[in-house]
Amino acid sequence: PSVYYGSEWGIRGAKQPGSDSDLRPAIAETAEQGKYARLPPHLKPEISALHLENTIRRLSELRKTNAALRDGDYRQLQVSSTVLAFERIFKGKNKPGAESYAAVVANSDESTANVSIRAESLGHGRRFFDALDRSAIFTSEHGSLEVQIPARTLRVRAAFEKARVPE
C-alpha cells in the first residue's frame, strides 16, 4: 500500500478515457480556498481528511517502530477481490535477538470479513497484539491466526515477544 497524490486527504482519483487529469486533480494552495475548492464533486473525499491524516501518521509510526514492517521479507498469505493478507518477517540480520514478525490484513469490502491466516511462521501458542488496537491480544493455533476485520479496515498483528508496542 502507498500514499498517492491527494490520497492522504481522501481525494479519490478517477481514470478517464484519454486523460489522467482526474488521477491528479488540482488542489488549492491556500487555506482560504480550502484544499477541495477546485475538485469536481466526484473526486471529493468521503471521510474526514484529519482522520485520514492521523491514520497515515499512525501507520507511519508503526512502520518506524516495527522492523518486520520496515525491512522484513514479504510473503502473501491470502489474496482475493476484497481481502489482502501478507506477512513480513525480519530475521535480525547482524542483530541477534532482533527478530520481528507482522501479519497485515486489509478488507476493502462493505461487510466484515473473517479471515484465517495460515502460515508455518505463526507457530503454535505464539502471542500477538493488534498494533492498531493494543488492548487486543491473540494466540496462534497450529500455524493459524483468526482475524475478524470490519468493513474497509486494516489489521496489523505483530508478534508480542519481539515487537515494541508503539505509543
Side-chain angles (χ1 to χ4, degrees), residues 6-148:
S7 63
E8 71 274 25
W9 295 317
I11 296 172
R12 298 176 284 160
K15 177 77 172 144
Q16 300 295 329
S19 172
D20 284 348
S21 63
D22 277 357
L23 287 174
R24 293 174 295 283
I27 298 173
E29 297 178 14
T30 66
E32 297 81 39
Q33 291 176 309
K35 60 184 147 214
Y36 309 123
R38 293 188 282 176
L39 288 178
H42 69 282
L43 297 180
K44 291 190 178 181
E46 295 178 346
I47 66 171
S48 157
L50 181 58
H51 171 75
L52 188 55
E53 288 172 21
N54 287 335
T55 299
I56 291 169
R57 191 173 292 110
R58 192 169 174 200
L59 291 171
S60 177
E61 183 61 28
L62 179 60
R63 184 179 182 277
K64 287 178 191 175
T65 61
N66 186 293
L69 292 174
R70 188 180 55 254
D71 299 313
D73 294 333
Y74 172 88
R75 188 169 74 95
Q76 288 183 343
L77 300 173
Q78 183 175 337
V79 179
S80 73
S81 61
T82 58
V83 173
L84 170 65
F86 61 89
E87 66 180 359
R88 300 287 305 262
I89 303 172
F90 179 73
K91 296 191 178 175
K93 301 165 189 119
N94 302 324
K95 291 183 179 180
E99 292 83 13
S100 179
Y101 178 91
V104 178
V105 184
N107 177 15
S108 66
D109 201 4
E110 297 296 325
S111 59
T112 297
N114 292 304
V115 178
S116 181
I117 300 173
R118 291 181 183 16
E120 187 177 313
S121 53
L122 292 170
H124 178 72
R126 191 172 182 188
R127 292 171 40 97
F128 295 84
F129 64 92
D130 186 319
L132 300 174
D133 174 7
R134 293 178 299 282
S135 66
I137 307 297
F138 306 88
T139 303
S140 63
E141 293 184 21
H142 307 289
S144 182
L145 192 61
E146 302 301 317
V147 181
Q148 184 177 56

